[in-house]
Amino acid sequence: MKQKSSSRRTDRAFLCYLCGLLLFLIFFAIQVPYCHDEWAWGSQSGLETLSTFFQGYNGRYLGDLLSLAVTRSVWAKVLILAITTWGLVILMTGLVKKIPENRGTPLQIALLSTLLILGMPQPIFRQILGWVAAFVNFVPPVLLFLVYWQLVQNIFPEASPSYSRRLWIWMIPLGLCSQLFSEHNTIFHILFAAFVLIYTYFRRHRVYAVHLSYFFSCLAGAVIMFLNPAYTNALNHTDGYKNIELSAGAIPNLLKSGYHIVHTLYSTGYLPVLIAFTLLLLLILSHRRSFHNKVRLRIAAGIGLVEFMLFFVVEKFFPQALTALSERSHLLKLLLVCVSLFLFVACSLLTLWLCIPDTARRHRLMTLFLCAPALALPLVVANPIGARCFFAPYLLMAVFFLQLVFGAYSFSHIFTKSFTAVSSVLVLALLLYLGTVFFQIGTAWRRQISQIRQGVAQGASIIQLEYLPHWRFIWLTVPPSDSWMIHYKAFYQIPSEVQVVFVEPSSQA
């Protein structure tokens, strides 16, 4: 009876937390201002793009339609941003909750998931949660992938996977929809769908209709996307914005892009260090009785993980050391970064192989860990790329971290009431901080709109607007060029002859 009562209290606390989180996310989404691309999407320019159904623009058909929706309805913006982010927390919680080795409660998993999502590195945060047009192109495909990942986690255990008879039908819209948002996600989904087919065939000696249906749906979705003329223009370097580098002469640029990607993927933010530290603890704590087995491999893995953490500390807190090294030999710095990150990946996989005795768990964790670099791989040939492109790799690293922490028997003793209390305090502090920051942003944005309406109504020739505060949390809210000023005026219905001037709040008359 005590266990049932405790379980009910835990479930109630989890549901209350989810409701409170949803209310916060709605409040948060209300404060997010329209930025950059949204001025074009929300004006006549967006309708002109729709009139050709985005031909020659891009093949992100569902993302483009959502961009039109969120810029024409504030409540569409609020609901899509809030519910999608909320859905990520729920999905990440469900993914960890359903693994057999899970030792955490749903509330504990949800709290840690919230910290990982809302505490993402600031460059990614700025271009995802601070830029709605990027959000609708880069977040939904990750959400849809996690739905498929939850369905196919059963391919790893010894028992053969089983699916309902008609589930393959639902894979058709899931596969198609996941492909029409952002290009590197589209390519990754095909690769992952192919991996699932190959893995299950070699392990089970059969092909499942669910996996086959998803693979062909992803393939069809990719064809629909890349048949758009925009990608032919990008290949020919005639697009004016996007470029795709596939020629042999582009090898130096490809190497430069590759360096930038691996550096960003594993050296930005705290998550890679948390993963390295957790794996190091796992290496030390697991199989203590048989520690002398494969001792040299364990030592090698430990040294590699420690080296990566030291490299991260040097880069973050003593950047002048690497700057001095770069001045002497840029190639040497490049090699140092790449070797360090290669050691991190290799030693992480080695640690999982050494410390996870169960084959199913080992394969699942290693697959999930490798999904992050696989997701970033297509970005090597793309130009330009921004921090928003790394949201999907970051989130899959977060899912890996959650499954590792809550599924490692060595850490099971930490999931007590104290863990819940500390996690709750950290989440509350983060929500209060973000809520304060974005309330100030939203208040200043609404003041801008009021100033615009007042100036237009009075027939003013010059409208002075204050810069929005906390610019590091949001994307561009000041037109960077004359062409973007035209879109800005069209979006806010400012007459073209009116001059718009942005000033510091302290200098506003």
Side-chain angles (χ1 to χ4, degrees):
M1 290 293 290
K2 287 184 178 179
Q3 287 183 345
K4 287 184 178 179
S5 176
S6 176
S7 177
R8 288 196 197 99
R9 283 198 300 270
T10 303
D11 290 342
R12 281 199 296 270
F14 175 59
L15 290 174
C16 288
Y17 173 72
L18 287 182
C19 292
L21 179 63
L22 179 60
L23 290 175
F24 169 81
L25 290 172
I26 290 172
F27 165 80
F28 173 89
I30 290 172
Q31 313 307 321
V32 177
Y34 287 120
C35 310
H36 203 244
D37 285 20
E38 289 130 46
W39 306 325
W41 283 114
S43 58
Q44 184 61 31
S45 177
L47 294 178
E48 290 171 0
T49 309
L50 176 63
S51 66
T52 62
F53 203 66
F54 317 113
Q55 293 305 298
Y57 186 74
N58 62 40
R60 303 175 178 183
Y61 298 108
L62 290 180
D64 292 344
L65 289 172
L66 286 178
S67 295
L68 286 167
V70 297
T71 53
R72 281 168 166 74
S73 169
V74 172
W75 282 109
K77 178 198 77 166
V78 169
L79 293 176
I80 289 171
L81 197 153
I83 292 176
T84 305
T85 308
W86 191 60
L88 283 177
V89 174
I90 293 174
L91 261 177
M92 290 169 72
T93 304
L95 283 169
V96 180
K97 180 184 173 183
K98 289 187 177 180
I99 59 175
E101 65 272 17
N102 171 45
R103 292 294 181 271
T105 66
L107 178 60
Q108 290 172 339
I109 303 166
L111 288 167
L112 200 50
S113 299
T114 305
L115 282 173
L116 290 168
I117 292 173
L118 296 183
M120 71 179 79
Q122 198 172 56
I124 301 177
F125 186 104
R126 188 187 183 205
Q127 290 194 10
I128 292 294
L129 293 176
W131 186 11
V132 183
F135 181 93
V136 297
N137 278 291
F138 291 90
V139 179
V142 187
L143 185 78
L144 295 174
F145 171 76
L146 291 182
V147 171
Y148 186 64
W149 172 257
Q150 189 159 25
L151 290 171
V152 298
Q153 280 195 123
N154 59 3
I155 67 174
F156 299 105
E158 290 298 325
S160 296
S162 60
Y163 303 101
S164 63
R165 200 175 284 178
R166 296 181 181 178
L167 184 60
W168 68 272
I169 299 174
W170 293 102
M171 295 300 100
I172 297 173
L174 180 65
L176 283 172
C177 291
S178 66
Q179 300 299 79
L180 303 176
F181 287 98
S182 44
E183 295 79 10
H184 66 298
N185 281 291
T186 296
I187 295 170
F188 167 74
H189 291 161
I190 296 174
L191 295 175
F192 185 79
F195 163 78
V196 170
L197 279 173
I198 294 168
Y199 181 88
T200 51
Y201 178 78
F202 279 101
R203 188 157 188 198
R204 315 290 180 188
H205 303 291
R206 63 172 292 187
V207 175
Y208 292 85
V210 168
H211 304 159
L212 202 61
S213 174
Y214 182 79
F215 172 75
F216 281 115
S217 299
C218 286
L219 205 57
V223 169
I224 293 170
M225 168 178 271
F226 290 115
L227 279 178
N228 191 296
Y231 301 102
T232 305
N233 297 336
L235 275 170
N236 296 330
H237 295 189
T238 58
D239 180 76
Y241 176 68
K242 296 182 292 290
N243 290 318
I244 299 175
E245 301 281 1
L246 293 178
S247 63
I251 290 176
N253 289 332
L254 296 181
L255 291 174
K256 185 178 179 181
S257 296
Y259 165 75
H260 171 67
I261 287 165
V262 295
H263 188 265
T264 305
L265 188 60
Y266 289 114
S267 298
T268 300
Y270 56 87
L271 186 54
V273 176
L274 276 178
I275 291 173
F277 179 73
T278 305
L279 288 169
L280 187 63
L281 279 179
L282 187 65
L283 192 65
I284 295 169
L285 297 175
S286 65
H287 304 302
R288 281 170 289 185
R289 292 180 182 177
S290 58
F291 184 81
H292 293 288
N293 294 339
K294 300 171 183 171
V295 65
R296 292 181 181 177
L297 288 177
R298 288 177 177 272
I299 292 172
I303 290 172
L305 293 171
V306 170
E307 185 278 335
F308 173 76
M309 289 189 284
L310 289 175
F311 174 81
F312 179 87
V313 170
V314 170
E315 186 182 46
K316 286 295 177 186
F317 300 103
F318 305 100
Q320 63 274 13
L322 288 178
T323 302
L325 180 64
S326 181
E327 289 174 355
R328 292 189 176 186
S329 174
H330 182 71
L331 179 62
L332 185 60
K333 179 188 175 184
L334 189 150
L335 287 173
L336 180 63
V337 171
C338 291
V339 168
S340 175
L341 301 178
F342 174 78
L343 279 175
F344 170 57
V345 175
C347 293
S348 297
L349 294 174
L350 179 59
T351 303
L352 293 173
W353 179 67
L354 289 169
C355 300
I356 308 294
D358 180 68
T359 303
R361 289 174 58 205
R362 189 191 309 141
H363 286 186
R364 186 185 71 242
L365 286 169
M366 291 173 79
T367 299
L368 196 51
F369 180 80
L370 288 172
C371 278
L375 246 168
L377 189 61
L379 297 173
V380 173
V381 299
N383 184 48
I385 57 174
R388 58 195 177 276
C389 300
F390 295 96
F391 172 75
Y394 170 82
L395 199 77
L396 292 192
M397 289 174 70
V399 175
F400 166 80
F401 177 71
L402 290 172
Q403 293 208 357
L404 178 66
V405 169
F406 287 104
Y409 294 104
S410 305
F411 307 138
S412 59
H413 64 281
I414 71 171
F415 302 121
T416 61
K417 289 182 179 179
S418 298
F419 179 88
T420 306
V422 171
S423 300
S424 300
V425 170
L426 290 174
V427 170
L428 182 60
L430 180 61
L431 296 186
L432 286 173
Y433 175 69
L434 290 177
T436 302
V437 166
F438 274 84
F439 179 71
Q440 292 174 4
I441 292 171
T443 301
W445 177 45
R446 287 185 286 274
R447 187 161 57 246
Q448 274 190 352
I449 295 173
S450 176
Q451 289 170 341
I452 289 170
R453 289 175 178 170
Q454 184 179 356
V456 171
Q458 293 176 352
S461 59
I462 299 176
I463 296 177
Q464 286 192 344
L465 302 175
E466 297 176 356
Y467 289 110
L468 297 186
H470 306 293
W471 61 268
R472 288 183 179 86
F473 289 89
I474 50 177
W475 194 231
L476 304 179
T477 56
V478 176
S481 65
D482 292 340
S483 60
W484 280 108
M485 179 59 78
I486 293 171
H487 292 305
Y488 184 88
K489 289 180 178 180
F491 181 79
Y492 286 109
Q493 299 179 354
I494 303 171
S496 58
E497 66 274 8
V498 174
Q499 184 181 358
V500 178
V501 178
F502 288 87
V503 298
E504 296 292 340
S506 58
S507 63
Q508 176 71 28

